[in-house]
Amino acid sequence: MEPPDSSVQSPDLVSLELTVENVEKALQQLYYDPDMEHKNVAQKWLTQAQTSRQAWQFCWPLLSPDKLPEIQFFGASTLHTKISCHWADLPTDQHQTLRMQLLSHISHFSSGPKMVLTRLCVALASLALHTMPQGWPQAVADMVRVYQPEKAGDQGGSQGGVGVGGGGGAEEEVNANAHCLALLELLTVLPEEFQSYRLPQTRRAQLREALAGEWTAVCPLLRQLLQRQEGNSQVKERALRCLSSWVGLDVPLHGESEGLLQDCFAALSDPELFDTAVETIVSSISQPDCQRYTDALVNLMPLVLGLHDQLKAAARDGDMETSHGICRIAVALGETHSRTLLEQVEHWQGYLALVNMILFCTGIPGHYPVNETTSSLTLTFWYTLQDDILSFEEDKQVVYLQVYRPVYFQLVDVLLHKAHFPSEQDYTSWSSDDKEQFRIYRVDISDTLMYVYEILGAELLSNLYDRLGRLLMDTERPKAWQDTEALLFGFQAIAETIDVNYSDVIPGLIGLIPRISISNIQLADTVMYTIGSLAEWLADHPMMLGNVLPMVLQGLVKAELSVSSVSTLKRICRECRHDLAPYIHEIMTVSQDVLVKDIHKSSQCMWLMQGLGFLLSALPMEEILGSLTTLLTPHIQRLDTLAHQEPSPTAKLSIIHILGMLSSLFTTLDISRQDEGSEGTTPAQARPNPVVVVLQQVFTLIQTILSKWLSDSEVVEAVCGVFERSVKTLLNDFAPMVQQLSEMLGQIYSAFPQASALDLTRQMVHIFAGEKDHFSPIQALIELVTSTTLSIFQQGPREHPDIVESFMQLHAQALKRKSDLYLSDHQDVKALFYCGVLSLKFPETPTAKSACMFFIVGSQSLCCLTEHFSEVLFCLNRHCPVLLAQWLKEGLRVPGFPSAQVSMEQKDTFSQQLLREQTNKRRVKEIVKEFSLLCRGMQGTTGYSADY
């Protein structure tokens, strides 16, 4: 539909008269005009219309029964916007009239449209929150009196009733149901609106208390509706949802509320209400405040245990929805109130029965997530239970452990069974998403086994070892590989996080591992991961390395075991590097072979190089360079070939891959500890670091690569990564390369500015700017990159937020590390300061944050930009208050700056408040936040700043 006139399409929307007719035309344009630009114009105009004072008047005609639902919805939404955000605009003497109008319209819309009814209910809820308790005492009780079914023909009600009656017979029953549903909708959105409101703490506490006091009017109504034999399911479902909304207000669980919860359990027998009843029960008993009502919780246990037979039947019949819902209820009670119920020693048998019910849920038949999705719900319960048991005093712990240790041993059996892989045929048929969910599920089981260890201790490892030993030594009985894999998985889960160095079963386990017949990838993976989890133990028992290292190297040559074998070898090299001398030749030979043959993906190659870096770090100094040369020569030769080829996507990937391997190797090849322990040998300063020697040898080659790939940010980033990792690892040992690297960095950046070059420069500044011998090349590099970046700012930096961010970080580091860098005549400090100001305006949070750090010179980063700006203002106020006062005066006198939403009086108040605070940083943050809200027009949102 065409817009009402050309002014609707005009950018100057303020000139269009706010009339009901124009609002309708704008809505028609918004909904039906195919032109997206016209839709956006209409949307903007309508948003402005909602915030205008005239909106209080034009919203009511839009709710006329003859209007389209979209128009009625806009009228209801406008009412909610005005009440929630512009309440202060409405005179007090009109509050009563507005309330009565809303009550009347809710009555008229009780039969629909639903979207309009809901918005009207939300509007009335917002009004109630503004006026309770003084302006509208017993607001909820009044709502109930007006709309409840028994009052359908009643015109009364305190505060003035609204007629909701209709004709007789069937029509009256329909009206009664409609008004009942409208009442339930209103009662449901009221707590939700309260929870979503941003309120000062005192006002929130006052309202919460007032609403909790109104529960006595809501609870009997909900019980009445749920207990009706003839009541329709829709009313009962809404009643259940209403209860879910109110329990968030910490309503009491005793007395009639306890009876209401029992009514919810009764609703579980109705298939149409089952899901909603589950949600309501779980919401109700998951509230931490329920712990105050111990008797009510104890009384709930028989109700939950009464669902056990239904749970078993559902599990037997494959009814996943029913078993899932009942499990949620059992876990909600058992987990949320674990300690409370444990303390009820006279009811220990009831809680033990509940724990066993949850154990049944953990072991529910089927493979997760294909055949069942229930067992995962229970895993955090077992952590909570053990944590609560171990939090008791020692004498009570002994009693509880006598009762629950047998349960936890059963749990181990259940968890290992649930961790079993399906048959290879079934597993092949699973989707990739199912396999990923199963992987995550096994990680969760692994975490749970770690918590089980806290209860069972070393006896758990002995139990697993005995079972694995019997399984592997029994050669007569056929065994499934899944059984072996699950037991190893249990060992690995515990060894990953628990110190098993003093366990007497680990030597036996290391002896058993070579006996495992590996006929499956999943089993082979778990063997690898188990060995990796024992790397620290192997470091203390190096004589056992020979038992397992050959298996790892055999796995290394298989692409299907890439992740597990490489990560395991890396862990062994890191933890056992000082004891790997007898195996180093074999490790290096196999590793070189798999790297040359490209058996592994790029990421695994990086891991492998990191592992080899650890390994080489433990070699004698005179051997490192030779081993390093042998390892890298094939890759350097390949890089040299690529450097002389014409650029292509394939060549690019290969170059980045090889440079990445160098970076990974240099990240972990650290000989500094050797230097610390050397005595009577050549000083470290006199020996060239092997990494530096290699870098010097390939420096010309890297320059050749850059000559062809300088405009490719990914290649340049990879080059800079090699040097950045080296600088971080070598620290002062990198000194021989400072001069030539500084020159190369300057050439790179001046020819083609990139953020990665700035990041490497920042690392160089951090390490060497304070060194007298290296100050000159660092200063020259800083001046060059600054001059180049200033040119970018002159041309327009908006398209380069990454460069601006890195540039600000560089100068924040330089200011903090060596401020003498700015004493040079070649450094334009004023221009640099102006760049910082421009950077503050960037919409990207990291960029603006870096600019703030530049001005405050490395202060702690905070959670939002407004707070970063407040840090800058605080520093200015402390160090140059006179100038800040002048700047504020000049800047804020500009009309419409920083926002048209703030008046001159408000800007003056902001300046005065800010200038008074020179020591209280927190108060400055609050002042800036409040002013920011004013600038955004959010001052009408009561207490918004409290949670901003």
Side-chain angles (χ1 to χ4, degrees):
M1 180 174 290
E2 289 299 319
D5 53 53
S6 59
S7 60
V8 177
Q9 301 177 50
S10 166
D12 185 15
L13 301 170
V14 181
S15 61
L16 187 65
E17 184 180 359
L18 286 172
T19 65
V20 174
E21 180 183 11
N22 282 336
V23 170
E24 289 190 50
K25 289 181 178 179
L27 284 167
Q28 290 169 341
Q29 178 170 298
L30 175 66
Y31 286 118
Y32 304 116
D33 194 317
D35 190 317
M36 207 57 214
E37 185 177 349
H38 290 176
K39 286 179 179 289
N40 292 336
V41 170
Q43 175 70 51
K44 184 176 181 180
W45 185 85
L46 288 167
T47 301
Q48 292 177 343
Q50 281 188 317
T51 61
S52 67
R53 288 186 175 273
Q54 297 95 310
W56 289 108
Q57 284 74 46
F58 71 64
C59 60
W60 298 109
L62 298 177
L63 289 165
S64 175
D66 60 339
K67 301 297 184 184
L68 292 172
E70 293 89 345
I71 295 175
Q72 294 170 335
F73 178 77
F74 181 78
S77 296
T78 299
L79 266 174
H80 176 241
T81 299
K82 297 304 293 182
I83 293 172
S84 60
C85 298
H86 303 276
W87 180 251
D89 295 345
L90 190 69
T92 306
D93 59 2
Q94 295 183 24
H95 292 179
Q96 173 82 0
T97 303
L98 178 59
R99 183 203 313 168
M100 299 309 300
Q101 287 177 295
L102 277 169
L103 287 167
S104 176
H105 277 75
I106 288 173
S107 173
H108 291 308
F109 281 95
S110 60
S111 298
K114 176 68 164 55
M115 63 179 182
V116 180
L117 173 64
T118 299
R119 295 315 295 169
L120 288 171
C121 289
V122 173
L124 183 58
S126 183
L127 183 148
L129 294 177
H130 277 297
T131 54
M132 291 175 67
Q134 294 86 358
W136 192 1
Q138 298 183 330
V140 176
D142 289 344
M143 296 174 191
V144 173
R145 277 192 288 271
V146 168
Y147 292 117
Q148 66 178 332
E150 288 78 4
K151 304 289 184 180
D154 188 1
Q155 302 295 314
S158 77
Q159 306 300 322
V162 177
V164 296
E171 183 182 353
E172 182 175 352
E173 183 178 348
V174 171
N175 285 338
N177 270 336
H179 290 112
C180 181
L181 291 171
L183 172 60
L184 290 172
E185 182 72 13
L186 179 55
L187 294 178
T188 301
V189 301
L190 179 58
E192 293 172 352
E193 186 75 353
F194 167 74
Q195 300 288 11
S196 65
Y197 249 45
R198 298 182 183 274
L199 298 165
Q201 190 173 352
T202 52
R203 176 59 179 161
R204 178 170 291 278
Q206 181 189 38
L207 268 179
R208 181 181 289 274
E209 182 180 358
L211 287 170
E214 298 275 16
W215 176 241
T216 54
V218 178
C219 184
L221 171 68
L222 298 182
R223 291 211 68 186
Q224 170 194 341
L225 295 174
L226 288 175
Q227 290 176 355
R228 280 184 174 177
Q229 298 300 319
E230 74 285 357
N232 65 38
S233 295
Q234 188 180 15
V235 170
K236 290 186 176 182
E237 183 183 10
R238 294 285 183 84
L240 290 167
R241 294 188 186 280
C242 183
L243 172 56
S244 293
S245 181
W246 277 82
V247 294
L249 299 176
D250 299 331
V251 296
L253 194 59
H254 59 72
E256 194 163 15
S257 299
E258 187 177 343
L260 177 58
L261 203 50
Q262 293 172 356
D263 296 334
C264 295
F265 274 88
L268 290 170
S269 60
D270 186 340
E272 293 185 28
L273 298 176
F274 181 83
D275 290 342
T276 308
V278 168
E279 292 293 339
T280 302
I281 293 170
V282 170
S283 297
S284 300
I285 62 182
S286 296
Q287 300 297 322
D289 191 60
C290 292
Q291 294 176 0
R292 294 186 298 161
Y293 310 106
T294 305
D295 292 341
L297 293 174
V298 170
N299 293 338
L300 282 175
M301 279 201 295
L303 294 174
V304 177
L305 294 173
L307 301 172
H308 202 165
D309 288 341
Q310 187 180 355
L311 171 66
K312 290 179 179 177
R316 182 184 62 248
D317 299 337
D319 184 353
M320 292 174 63
E321 291 186 5
T322 299
S323 58
H324 197 84
I326 294 175
C327 176
R328 288 185 61 199
I329 294 173
V331 170
L333 180 61
E335 183 176 337
T336 310
H337 308 292
S338 171
R339 186 179 181 89
T340 302
L341 294 174
L342 281 170
E343 290 174 335
Q344 311 312 306
V345 291
E346 66 275 17
H347 300 285
W348 70 272
Q349 290 175 313
Y351 188 57
L352 179 59
L354 179 63
V355 171
N356 279 307
M357 183 178 175
I358 296 173
L359 181 63
F360 176 84
C361 295
T362 305
I364 203 160
H367 274 103
Y368 181 96
V370 175
N371 310 115
E372 63 90 8
T373 57
T374 298
S375 58
S376 62
L377 301 175
T378 67
L379 298 182
T380 55
F381 163 76
W382 298 109
Y383 163 73
T384 302
L385 180 60
Q386 68 87 23
D387 193 51
D388 286 335
I389 288 174
L390 297 180
S391 69
F392 284 108
E393 298 81 3
E394 188 172 347
D395 55 337
K396 289 185 178 180
Q397 269 189 45
V398 173
V399 176
Y400 287 120
L401 288 173
Q402 286 179 344
V403 175
Y404 290 102
R405 273 174 62 88
V407 177
Y408 272 88
F409 272 115
Q410 294 178 56
L411 175 64
V412 173
D413 293 340
V414 168
L415 290 175
L416 294 181
H417 179 73
K418 296 298 292 184
H420 270 55
F421 277 92
S423 68
E424 293 188 51
Q425 182 179 356
D426 288 345
Y427 191 66
T428 303
S429 68
W430 284 15
S431 68
S432 57
D433 185 56
D434 287 338
K435 291 178 179 178
E436 176 61 13
Q437 287 190 54
F438 183 61
R439 185 194 67 80
I440 295 171
Y441 176 67
R442 280 170 52 98
V443 171
D444 293 338
I445 288 178
S446 173
D447 293 340
T448 307
L449 285 169
M450 178 184 68
Y451 306 138
V452 172
Y453 183 86
E454 297 296 326
I455 289 283
L456 302 181
E459 195 173 346
L460 171 57
L461 289 176
S462 298
N463 178 281
L464 294 175
Y465 174 69
D466 290 342
R467 291 170 61 181
L468 181 63
R470 288 194 300 269
L471 189 66
L472 295 178
M473 303 301 283
D474 187 351
T475 57
E476 296 182 1
R477 293 176 55 188
K479 48 183 174 289
W481 66 266
Q482 289 94 335
D483 297 330
T484 304
E485 193 278 336
L487 288 168
L488 282 176
F489 172 76
F491 267 113
Q492 178 215 336
I494 296 166
E496 283 287 1
T497 50
I498 303 297
D499 184 2
V500 296
N501 281 356
Y502 303 103
S503 172
D504 56 1
V505 304
I506 302 301
L509 174 62
I510 295 291
L512 285 175
I513 286 177
R515 300 178 65 92
I516 297 173
S517 176
I518 300 178
S519 57
N520 175 275
I521 293 175
Q522 285 81 25
L523 176 57
D525 269 333
T526 302
V527 169
M528 291 296 150
Y529 287 128
T530 303
I531 295 171
S533 69
L534 298 173
E536 291 186 28
W537 185 91
L538 289 168
D540 292 334
H541 306 82
M543 72 290 298
M544 305 296 286
L545 279 166
N547 288 45
V548 293
L549 194 55
M551 297 182 71
V552 177
L553 295 178
Q554 289 170 18
L556 197 65
V557 301
K558 299 177 180 178
E560 61 270 22
L561 300 180
S562 180
V563 175
S564 59
S565 62
V566 171
S567 64
T568 296
L569 181 60
K570 176 185 171 182
R571 294 178 72 170
I572 290 175
C573 289
R574 182 183 64 206
E575 302 298 336
C576 311
R577 57 182 177 269
H578 298 295
D579 302 296
L580 290 174
Y583 315 101
I584 191 166
H585 176 73
E586 188 176 3
I587 294 173
M588 292 295 293
T589 300
V590 175
S591 299
Q592 289 168 347
D593 188 52
V594 299
L595 287 170
V596 170
K597 292 180 178 177
D598 289 331
I599 289 176
H600 302 294
K601 292 181 180 179
S602 183
S603 56
Q604 278 73 59
C605 291
M606 306 307 156
W607 295 357
L608 182 54
M609 292 299 270
Q610 289 175 8
L612 296 178
F614 287 123
L615 182 65
L616 293 175
S617 299
L619 287 177
M621 276 293 296
E622 59 274 12
E623 296 181 19
I624 293 178
L625 185 57
S627 299
L628 199 56
T629 302
T630 303
L631 172 64
L632 294 180
T633 295
H635 307 290
I636 300 300
Q637 291 174 345
R638 172 65 177 152
L639 193 63
D640 185 56
T641 301
L642 292 167
H644 292 88
Q645 291 179 0
E646 289 301 312
S648 69
T650 304
K652 173 182 172 178
L653 289 176
S654 298
I655 289 171
I656 292 175
H657 172 73
I658 295 172
L659 292 174
M661 288 201 299
L662 293 176
S663 297
S664 299
L665 179 66
F666 298 157
T667 299
T668 56
L669 209 172
D670 182 6
I671 63 171
S672 59
R673 292 182 181 178
Q674 288 190 9
D675 291 339
E676 291 171 4
S678 59
E679 295 182 11
T681 59
T682 307
Q685 291 82 357
R687 298 194 299 261
N689 189 292
V691 173
V692 172
V693 173
V694 172
L695 287 175
Q696 288 174 332
Q697 290 173 351
V698 301
F699 197 82
T700 303
L701 174 57
I702 289 176
Q703 288 179 312
T704 302
I705 292 171
L706 287 173
S707 68
K708 291 189 175 182
W709 293 92
L710 189 56
S711 61
D712 191 298
S713 61
E714 293 179 86
V715 174
V716 173
E717 184 176 352
V719 168
C720 291
V722 173
F723 291 103
E724 187 172 1
R725 300 283 183 87
S726 302
V727 171
K728 285 181 178 179
T729 304
L730 302 183
L731 301 177
N732 289 325
D733 282 357
F734 191 82
M737 294 201 66
V738 170
Q739 178 73 43
Q740 60 186 139
L741 180 58
S742 297
E743 292 174 359
M744 187 183 80
L745 268 177
Q747 294 167 2
I748 291 175
Y749 194 77
S750 57
F752 202 93
Q754 297 187 38
S756 55
L758 291 173
D759 295 335
L760 176 54
T761 302
R762 174 163 55 89
Q763 196 64 40
M764 297 274 286
V765 168
H766 177 67
I767 303 297
F768 296 109
E771 301 290 330
K772 182 178 179 181
D773 293 341
H774 305 299
F775 180 80
S776 179
I778 295 294
Q779 184 179 43
L781 176 59
I782 286 278
E783 291 173 359
L784 182 57
V785 298
T786 300
S787 174
T788 303
T789 310
L790 289 179
S791 300
I792 295 176
F793 273 91
Q794 290 171 353
Q795 297 165 10
R798 184 64 199 92
E799 300 301 317
H800 308 283
D802 55 335
I803 291 178
V804 173
E805 178 185 346
S806 296
F807 183 66
M808 289 292 104
Q809 290 176 344
L810 166 62
H811 280 284
Q813 180 68 257
L815 281 166
K816 187 176 181 179
R817 189 68 175 165
K818 191 69 174 177
S819 57
D820 290 357
L821 290 166
Y822 297 89
L823 298 178
S824 169
D825 294 337
H826 302 291
Q827 195 71 275
D828 191 342
V829 178
K830 290 184 178 180
L832 185 60
F833 187 91
Y834 182 65
C835 289
V837 173
L838 291 178
S839 303
L840 289 171
K841 300 178 181 180
F842 271 65
E844 291 84 2
T845 298
T847 306
K849 177 181 172 182
S850 298
C852 291
M853 292 179 67
F854 165 68
F855 282 114
I856 61 179
V857 189
S859 178
Q860 288 184 346
S861 59
L862 299 167
C863 62
C864 70
L865 278 183
T866 303
E867 294 193 1
H868 291 303
F869 294 146
S870 71
E871 292 257 4
V872 176
L873 291 171
F874 178 73
C875 289
L876 288 172
N877 200 23
R878 288 192 68 176
H879 301 294
C880 45
V882 176
L883 288 173
L884 177 61
Q886 180 182 342
W887 296 335
L888 286 172
K889 183 177 179 180
E890 293 175 356
L892 294 179
R893 76 168 58 156
V894 178
F897 178 84
S899 166
Q901 302 275 3
V902 289
S903 64
M904 284 303 301
E905 181 181 357
Q906 289 170 323
K907 289 193 275 189
D908 289 341
T909 301
F910 167 68
S911 296
Q912 294 167 11
Q913 291 176 333
L914 181 63
L915 293 170
R916 276 199 299 265
E917 300 295 341
Q918 294 187 349
T919 58
N920 191 335
K921 186 183 292 187
R922 174 178 291 183
R923 177 59 185 146
V924 171
K925 292 176 186 175
E926 292 172 356
I927 293 168
V928 174
K929 280 185 183 179
E930 291 291 344
F931 188 65
S932 175
L933 292 174
L934 287 172
C935 292
R936 299 178 189 196
M938 293 181 175
Q939 69 276 19
T941 306
T942 308
Y944 182 90
S945 60
D947 298 308
Y948 180 68

